Amino acid sequence: LIIRSTVHLDDEVAVSLRAALERAIEAEFQLEDAELDSRELPDATEQGRMLLTEAAEGGAGVLRRLVADPEAIQRVARRALEIIHYDPDSGADLEHAAGARVRCERGCYDCLLSYGNQYEHTRINRHSVVEILRSLLAARVESGAGGRRRADQTNWLTKLGDSTLESRFVTWLQDTGRRLPDDAQRTIDSCRARPDFIYDGNIPVAIFVDGPHHDSDAQQNRDREAETRLTDASWFVIRFRYDDDWATLADRNEWLFGRGRSATR
C-alpha cells in the first residue's frame, strides 16, 4: 500500500507519521511487529510518500481491509493518537504511557521508537503528527475501482448493467460504502459464462445478480453449470438473488466488499 499526502510534509512529520501509522495498524489489526513493514519512498515533492507491506507470504489481508473498509482509517488514527500519548477526543497531551513515570518528550519505546527504526530516532517527533491524526478521525476511505474515481465507476457500472436489478445493486454498494466491482458484463470465453460483475485480483470473483426469471428449473440448471465451469477455472462465485438479504450476504464476504454502512435497498 502506497500512501502520500496531498500537502507538503517536512521530513520530521513524514517519518513520524509513517511510524505512527505502522504501529497503529499493527495494534488495530492485532499484527506482530514482524508482520508489517514500512519504508520511505523517493519523495521529490515532499508529500511523505511511504510504502506499507505485509511481510508474511500471502499476508493477512490487513492493508486491503484498510482500503476496503471506509471507516478503518478512523480506527487506525484513534489508535495512533493513543499510542503517541494523546487523548483522541480532547487532543490533550497525556505525556507518557499508562504506568510510566517519565514524560515522553519526542518519542519513546512505548510509542514510536523501536529497534527497527533506530536510525530514524532523531527524526521522530510524536507532537508533529497530532493535527494530521486528529483530522483522520473524521475521514472515510472512498476507494475507486477499474482505475476510476468511485463516483465515475458507479456511473459506468450502472450504464453497463443489463437490468434494473443490477443498477440497484450497484447503487446499493455505493450507498453502503462497499467496494465496487472492477468490471461488468465481461464474457469469460473459456468458461462460457458472463458474470454480471467482476472483481479482479489474485482470485477473480464473479458476481451474479439474479432476478425472478432465475427461479425456473431450466435457468437454475444453466446457472449451476456456468458456476461449476467458473469454479473449476479457479473463480470465486457469489450470487445475489432479488429476494436475498444483500447486507447479510455482503457481510459474510467482508473480505471482498468491506464493511458497509446502513442503507435502504
Side-chain angles (χ1 to χ4, degrees):
L1 176 65
I2 297 176
I3 299 175
R4 68 177 177 85
S5 170
T6 57
V7 297
H8 166 80
L9 298 181
D10 64 33
D11 180 69
E12 184 177 89
V13 176
V15 172
S16 303
L17 181 62
R18 177 162 55 83
L21 290 177
E22 180 180 353
R23 289 291 306 276
I25 292 170
E26 290 170 348
E28 176 62 24
F29 294 101
Q30 301 179 349
L31 297 179
E32 298 293 334
D33 180 62
E35 291 184 84
L36 188 68
D37 188 31
S38 68
R39 290 285 185 271
E40 288 181 290
L41 290 176
D43 192 19
T45 56
E46 298 185 316
Q47 292 179 291
R49 295 179 74 246
M50 66 185 77
L51 174 67
L52 295 172
T53 58
E54 293 187 61
E57 183 177 353
V62 164
L63 297 180
R64 174 175 290 185
R65 290 165 61 189
L66 187 64
V67 174
D69 183 345
E71 297 177 354
I73 191 62
Q74 298 177 14
R75 300 194 298 275
V76 168
R78 177 169 288 273
R79 285 275 193 170
L81 286 163
E82 293 169 350
I83 287 170
I84 65 172
H85 321 310
Y86 270 84
D87 185 307
D89 298 311
S90 68
D93 183 0
L94 303 178
E95 300 188 349
H96 53 70
R101 297 183 179 181
V102 179
R103 170 182 166 81
C104 172
E105 295 298 338
R106 292 168 57 94
C108 67
Y109 281 91
D110 285 321
C111 62
L112 302 184
L113 305 188
S114 69
Y115 176 80
N117 64 16
Q118 59 183 308
Y119 295 111
E120 298 172 328
H121 286 186
T122 58
R123 302 160 63 195
I124 288 176
N125 181 356
R126 68 185 179 95
H127 308 290
S128 67
V129 295
V130 174
E131 183 178 348
I132 293 175
L133 292 174
R134 294 203 74 208
S135 70
L136 291 177
L137 292 175
R140 288 182 59 84
V141 174
E142 297 291 342
S143 56
R148 301 176 180 84
R149 296 179 60 181
R150 187 173 174 87
D152 295 336
Q153 182 72 357
T154 299
N155 292 335
W156 182 72
L157 291 169
T158 300
K159 292 176 181 177
L160 286 179
D162 276 351
S163 70
T164 302
L165 187 63
E166 292 170 20
S167 297
R168 285 173 55 197
F169 179 72
V170 173
T171 300
W172 178 79
L173 290 175
Q174 167 72 345
D175 290 347
T176 57
R178 301 179 193 272
R179 181 185 170 196
L180 294 171
D182 295 295
D183 202 358
Q185 303 301 328
R186 184 201 304 170
T187 300
I188 313 302
D189 293 325
S190 60
C191 300
R192 303 195 309 280
R194 190 184 188 191
D196 295 316
F197 301 103
I198 288 174
Y199 288 87
D200 292 318
N202 293 332
I203 301 177
V205 180
I207 303 294
F208 293 92
V209 183
D210 295 342
H213 68 282
H214 285 264
D215 289 340
S216 71
D217 291 340
Q219 184 61 53
Q220 287 187 13
N221 286 334
R222 287 192 290 270
D223 290 344
R224 280 193 294 269
E225 290 170 359
E227 186 168 335
T228 298
R229 291 192 295 271
L230 285 165
T231 302
D232 288 345
S234 299
W235 283 73
F236 191 85
V237 180
I238 303 175
R239 288 191 177 275
F240 286 81
R241 284 176 49 87
Y242 67 97
D243 54 356
D244 279 338
D245 182 340
W246 290 354
T248 298
L249 185 53
D251 289 344
R252 198 178 301 150
N253 294 280
E254 186 179 324
W255 62 272
L256 176 67
F257 298 104
R259 184 180 301 177
R261 55 178 183 269
S262 297
T264 301
R265 175 151 52 115

